[in-house]
């Protein structure tokens, strides 16, 4: 079954000095201020498209990894994933680096590596980001 999620952004002014806000319509979880400065300098309490993509990528990867584990009979006690999405003005989004630590009782290091890499490529957000470099540092916690 297909699912559609919706957000919208209202922008006022030009790119460099203007500002806007992005609202998460489907969940109703909030409205977030966005600016060019938040994209290229310090966030200053505002967000950017790249931060929103990082949130989506870290959540999707964690879910894909958990699903892949379940397919092999394992359940993680915890999966902690960070995504660093890089934006270069004039070029665009150039990469997403995932850093994941997971505690999975009974899982071997070899199986952990294989399942992590499969989740990296199998995550639907990774698929949507296929035109950029996606890297992964994964650690199996004791």
């Amino acid at each position: 079954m297909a699912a559609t999620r919706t957000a919208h952004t209202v922008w006022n002014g030009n790119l460099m000095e203007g500002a806007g806000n992005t609202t998460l319509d489907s969940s109703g979880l909030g409205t977030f201020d966005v600016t060019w400065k938040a994209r290229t300098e310090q966030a200053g309490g505002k967000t950017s498209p790249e931060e929103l993509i990082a949130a989506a990528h870290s959540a999707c990867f964690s879910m894909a990894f958990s699903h892949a584990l379940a397919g092999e009979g394992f359940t993680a006690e915890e999966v902690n994933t960070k995504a660093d999405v890089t934006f270069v003005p004039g070029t665009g989004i150039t990469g997403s680096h995932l850093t994941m630590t997971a505690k999975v009782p009974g899982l071997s290091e070899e199986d952990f590596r294989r399942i992590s890499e499969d989740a990296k490529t199998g995550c639907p957000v990774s698929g949507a980001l296929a035109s950029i470099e996606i890297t992964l540092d994964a650690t199996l916690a004791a």
Side-chain angles (χ1 to χ4, degrees), residues 8-12 15 17-23 31-39 43 45-49 51-52:
H8 78 275
T9 299
V10 175
W11 187 267
N12 302 105
L15 175 62
E17 293 144 14
N21 57 62
T22 297
T23 301
T31 298
F32 304 92
D33 294 334
V34 293
T35 64
W36 176 256
K37 277 189 165 186
R39 201 171 192 182
K46 296 172 177 53
T47 194
S48 67
E51 184 176 36
L52 297 170

Side-chain angles (χ1 to χ4, degrees), residues 8-140:
H8 78 275
T9 299
V10 175
W11 187 267
N12 302 105
N14 66 30
L15 175 62
M16 299 298 185
E17 293 144 14
N21 57 62
T22 297
T23 301
L24 305 181
D25 297 319
S26 299
S27 65
L29 288 175
T31 298
F32 304 92
D33 294 334
V34 293
T35 64
W36 176 256
K37 277 189 165 186
R39 201 171 192 182
T40 59
E41 299 173 24
Q42 293 299 317
K46 296 172 177 53
T47 194
S48 67
E50 292 72 29
E51 184 176 36
L52 297 170
I53 290 170
H57 203 190
S58 67
C60 184
F61 174 83
S62 294
M63 295 168 79
F65 179 71
S66 295
H67 181 66
L69 284 173
E72 301 214 16
F74 294 96
T75 300
E77 288 181 12
E78 180 178 271
V79 178
N80 185 331
T81 306
K82 176 179 79 161
D84 295 303
V85 173
T86 302
F87 172 74
V88 178
T91 300
I93 296 171
T94 59
S96 181
H97 179 70
L98 299 166
T99 305
M100 184 263 291
T101 301
K103 188 170 186 180
V104 186
L107 185 64
S108 72
E109 185 71 35
E110 180 180 326
D111 286 341
F112 173 74
R113 295 277 167 226
R114 178 181 49 77
I115 293 168
S116 298
E117 285 297 322
D118 289 348
K120 181 183 87 170
T121 57
C123 160
V125 172
S126 291
L129 298 174
S131 65
I132 65 170
E133 180 181 23
I134 298 171
T135 56
L136 170 65
D137 286 329
T139 302
L140 180 60

